[in-house]
Amino acid sequence: MTRLSDDTVQAALSGSQWSRDGDAITRALDCGDFAGAMGFAARVGELAEAANHHPDILIHGYSRVRLTLSTHSAGGITQADLDLARQIDDAA
């Protein structure tokens, strides 16, 4: 996987709920309650497993989920991160 340029990442994130955080992209969601947060995390886990691309998932504050995507082997953001972000958006 090839690391994407800063311009490519910025264009891909424009208008989305994802933001750049160094060599990763992140998104935070409020799922309403703890069960909603756990259920959403499980859906993301299924998508990630199918894509063989695994985000960091943080469940905090009772109902909040923070997702972080980066391709560690490429040292930054790749098309795999953007593709999984779109799938997560669809699941949200």
Side-chain angles (χ1 to χ4, degrees):
M1 245 328 111
T2 303
R3 182 178 174 160
L4 299 174
S5 71
D6 291 339
D7 290 340
T8 300
V9 172
Q10 182 177 346
L13 298 181
S14 178
S16 80
Q17 295 184 36
W18 291 86
S19 61
R20 179 101 186 239
D21 185 6
D23 289 331
I25 59 175
T26 64
R27 180 174 176 193
L29 299 97
D30 189 325
C31 298
D33 59 20
F34 186 73
M38 292 298 294
F40 181 69
R43 287 192 302 278
V44 170
E46 291 170 2
L47 294 170
E49 193 63 21
N52 194 31
H53 193 65
H54 304 96
D56 291 337
I57 303 171
L58 173 65
I59 299 170
H60 62 102
Y62 175 71
S63 63
R64 300 206 38 89
V65 177
R66 178 180 163 92
L67 303 165
T68 303
L69 289 166
S70 182
T71 303
H72 303 289
S73 61
I77 302 162
T78 66
Q79 190 61 49
D81 300 305
L82 299 178
D83 292 345
L84 184 54
R86 279 190 212 100
Q87 291 179 28
I88 291 168
D89 287 346
D90 291 343

